[in-house]
Amino acid sequence: MSPTSPLPESDMPSTQSVSLRTKIIYGLGSGNDMWGNWFYVSFVWLFFNQYLGVSPSLISTALSLRLLWDAITDPVFGWWSDNTRTRFGRRRPFILVGSILSGLFLPVLFMVEVGASDTQYFWWMLITSIVFMAFVSCFNMPYNSLGAELSPDYAERNSIYKYKGSIQKVMEVASFGAGAFVTALNWEGATASDIPQVVGNIFSTGFAWTTSLLGNLFTFNFAAAWAALETPFGLQTGDGTEEINIVLSARVYTSMLGAVMICIGFILFFGLKERYYETVNKNQARTKIIASIWGALRCRPFRVQLSMGLAYSLGLSMVGTLGFYTTVYFVSGGNRTEGNLFNLKMGIVGMLFGFIGPMIWGLLASKFDKKRVILIIQFFGIAVFIATWWLYTPEIKMLQVLATGFIALTQAGFWMMYGSIGADVIDYDELESGVRREGAFSACGSYIMKIGMILGTFITGVALERTGFDAELGGDQPDSAIFWIRFLLAAVPIAGLVVSLFFIVRFPLTADKMREIRTQLEDRRGTV
């Protein structure tokens, strides 16, 4: 059998498949994962820079400094959950508590007053985000660890992360839609007493719009569906000069998002089981934190995977922010209301492309080895980012929507396959070490991804200032500033993808190798 060929079903050790219900429930947790880790990183630019005028370098510094705290909380919660033994398992108690605390604290991040100094805003961003990220780590490390425990099957893991990837793209609309919601014309001059009426109006028009869109899609009236994207969820654009009470609207939006996070935590707690707990984990000896983390980092396939993911996340970490600034200040000429509405349109299309992406890549993964599928995804991604130079244009504004769709297609595929090979790496380590330490792997993996994302965020803030961008100038930005923002939007992701390719070709765990590993593990400790 070729090392790049998938295993025929008849050659795979038999296993009980993971139910559709379990895959969907686990996928719902991707909302808490994403809103906890990445919502603030993108929304902070709109809230603190574009509306409150905080320097981009201060924002990027605050985001970068909290990474030092993550270096403590991620390993602690990963190790802690690895060594926890309760009648509810070792992951689910942390998932529930972390969801509740994260959901309650999310609105606190934006409880500031207009008119404070940049220094006051900086310390608020830093302190509140540090507290928030501790709660997120409490949820995220056990949640990601649990994903690697849902099935021992090489192919079934693709299916688990396929559903997770598709559901995550649906959840992503909440991040893309945040700007449009908080800057909606409904909030112009609004006060706290107006909240029920404003929210009611937004949801009423949004429901009517969604019903109409789905009706057009089901009747294959794609022209009408495309036209509906001009006013997503019925939200209207102004001329960008409106006085929007963004502090109030942001608190309302994050309060609603926090409530959803809490609900998801309860669904995960009661809806998932820990497959390995009774057979492998319950009687496994506890380990010390340093030994656990160091043991994970000594695993060679894991180091290759981390290097691949770091290059990818560092390269693409600037896409959200630079793409947003390109939309607002180049395509929309500085009209922030229109730009935020376009960002929502792009989020909807990104959701649709990202939703079908794991299905497409999952089909390829059933025919080819995982490494080959990732290579195909990366080459497709390079082509997409080259095309962004022409797809972001004020002449045909809707072309940028397609750019976001194709980017979402590649991202969904990469992270789906990245999660699937991560579960294989943990099996390899169990064979080598005799213990399962998913929490340690999740902590190291999460932290490396955050390094890439936060470094990219820091570079973004510095780069924005170096380009000559000035939020006070609105749509009158220097031509050189717009050029460099557009150039970086294309060039930086391509560089990250090229470096990532270098490590992908060196990943050693093929389908044949994983078949051998699973057989040896089950001979040693039985099936799960």
Side-chain angles (χ1 to χ4, degrees), residues 29-110:
S30 65
N32 286 13
D33 181 354
M34 180 178 54
W35 300 331
N37 282 299
W38 311 121
F39 170 78
Y40 184 74
V41 174
S42 59
F43 188 70
V44 68
W45 297 97
L46 168 67
F47 187 84
F48 283 101
N49 173 239
Q50 294 189 15
Y51 275 85
L52 297 181
V54 180
S55 164
S57 60
L58 279 180
I59 294 174
S60 58
T61 300
L63 292 176
S64 300
L65 287 175
R66 76 172 189 166
L67 185 65
L68 299 176
W69 179 243
D70 284 344
I72 299 173
T73 58
D74 282 357
V76 164
F77 282 107
W79 165 81
W80 193 356
S81 70
D82 274 349
N83 289 277
T84 294
R85 308 289 185 266
T86 76
R87 67 189 183 96
F88 301 109
R90 56 180 187 161
R91 312 294 185 196
R92 293 186 299 146
F94 289 95
I95 289 173
L96 179 60
V97 173
S99 297
I100 294 172
L101 294 177
S102 299
L104 291 175
F105 200 81
L106 181 61
V108 178
L109 297 171
F110 305 99

Side-chain angles (χ1 to χ4, degrees), residues 43-348:
F43 188 70
V44 68
W45 297 97
L46 168 67
F47 187 84
F48 283 101
N49 173 239
Q50 294 189 15
Y51 275 85
L52 297 181
V54 180
S55 164
S57 60
L58 279 180
I59 294 174
S60 58
T61 300
L63 292 176
S64 300
L65 287 175
R66 76 172 189 166
L67 185 65
L68 299 176
W69 179 243
D70 284 344
I72 299 173
T73 58
D74 282 357
V76 164
F77 282 107
W79 165 81
W80 193 356
S81 70
D82 274 349
N83 289 277
T84 294
R85 308 289 185 266
T86 76
R87 67 189 183 96
F88 301 109
R90 56 180 187 161
R91 312 294 185 196
R92 293 186 299 146
F94 289 95
I95 289 173
L96 179 60
V97 173
S99 297
I100 294 172
L101 294 177
S102 299
L104 291 175
F105 200 81
L106 181 61
V108 178
L109 297 171
F110 305 99
M111 289 186 178
V112 297
E113 297 297 331
V114 177
S117 67
D118 274 15
T119 301
Q120 290 173 315
Y121 286 136
F122 169 79
W123 285 110
W124 184 267
M125 285 187 290
L126 180 60
I127 294 172
T128 57
S129 63
I130 282 176
V131 175
F132 179 68
M133 289 312 298
F135 299 152
V136 172
S137 292
C138 179
F139 165 83
N140 205 41
M141 295 304 98
Y143 170 73
N144 285 326
S145 300
L146 185 56
E149 301 173 5
L150 291 178
S151 174
D153 186 75
Y154 181 83
E156 187 71 3
R157 286 167 174 169
N158 287 338
S159 179
I160 292 168
Y161 286 94
K162 175 179 71 176
Y163 279 92
K164 180 189 176 186
S166 293
I167 293 172
Q168 178 176 318
K169 286 302 172 182
V170 176
M171 300 294 193
E172 240 176 51
V173 174
S175 295
F176 276 101
F181 182 95
V182 302
T183 61
L185 298 184
N186 308 64
W187 294 105
E188 186 174 13
T191 63
S193 62
D194 299 318
I195 291 176
Q197 180 180 353
V198 172
V199 174
N201 289 339
I202 292 176
F203 274 92
S204 177
T205 56
F207 179 79
W209 179 88
T210 303
T211 303
S212 174
L213 177 67
L214 292 176
N216 289 325
L217 290 175
F218 281 120
T219 57
F220 303 104
N221 189 351
F222 297 117
W226 182 258
L229 289 177
E230 291 292 338
T231 56
F233 295 103
L235 298 174
Q236 301 293 325
T237 181
D239 59 13
T241 62
E242 297 80 13
E243 293 294 328
I244 304 296
N245 190 346
I246 190 173
V247 173
L248 177 65
S249 59
R251 292 175 185 174
V252 172
Y253 189 80
T254 50
S255 294
M256 294 189 298
L257 203 59
V260 175
M261 293 175 72
I262 293 172
C263 292
I264 288 175
F266 278 100
I267 294 172
L268 294 173
F269 180 79
F270 290 107
L272 295 178
K273 302 296 181 183
E274 299 186 26
R275 185 168 185 164
Y276 283 75
Y277 186 69
E278 292 294 334
T279 305
V280 181
N281 304 137
K282 191 173 182 179
N283 299 313
Q284 179 175 289
R286 290 173 170 81
T287 59
K288 295 182 178 180
I289 186 169
I290 300 299
S292 182
I293 299 299
W294 179 244
L297 291 174
R298 290 179 60 190
C299 177
R300 179 180 173 271
F302 186 51
R303 294 197 303 271
V304 176
Q305 182 196 10
L306 288 182
S307 300
M308 168 202 324
L310 176 60
Y312 185 89
S313 61
L314 180 57
L316 271 70
S317 61
M318 301 174 70
V319 171
T321 302
L322 292 175
F324 179 59
Y325 277 72
T326 302
T327 294
V328 173
Y329 295 99
F330 175 60
V331 178
S332 296
N335 186 332
R336 293 179 299 188
T337 305
E338 180 186 273
N340 280 299
L341 202 58
F342 259 112
N343 204 45
L344 176 54
K345 298 174 190 178
M346 295 156 77
I348 295 171

Side-chain angles (χ1 to χ4, degrees), residues 370-451:
K370 295 178 183 181
K371 182 164 70 174
R372 179 179 292 185
V373 175
I374 297 177
L375 288 171
I376 294 172
I377 292 170
Q378 299 299 71
F379 281 115
F380 183 76
I382 290 172
V384 170
F385 282 107
I386 291 174
T388 57
W389 185 263
W390 295 277
L391 293 175
Y392 280 82
T393 171
E395 279 72 34
I396 309 177
K397 297 181 179 180
M398 287 296 284
L399 283 180
Q400 65 185 331
V401 175
L402 289 178
T404 300
F406 287 123
I407 291 171
L409 188 72
T410 62
Q411 287 181 315
F414 178 83
W415 292 119
M416 163 196 156
M417 300 307 301
Y418 189 83
S420 184
I421 65 172
D424 297 337
V425 168
I426 292 171
D427 280 357
Y428 173 91
D429 179 69
E430 182 188 358
L431 183 64
E432 294 292 311
S433 68
V435 297
R436 291 191 68 86
R437 42 191 172 201
E438 294 91 343
F441 280 92
S442 294
C444 295
S446 174
Y447 189 67
I448 292 296
M449 295 307 100
K450 288 175 183 177
I451 288 177

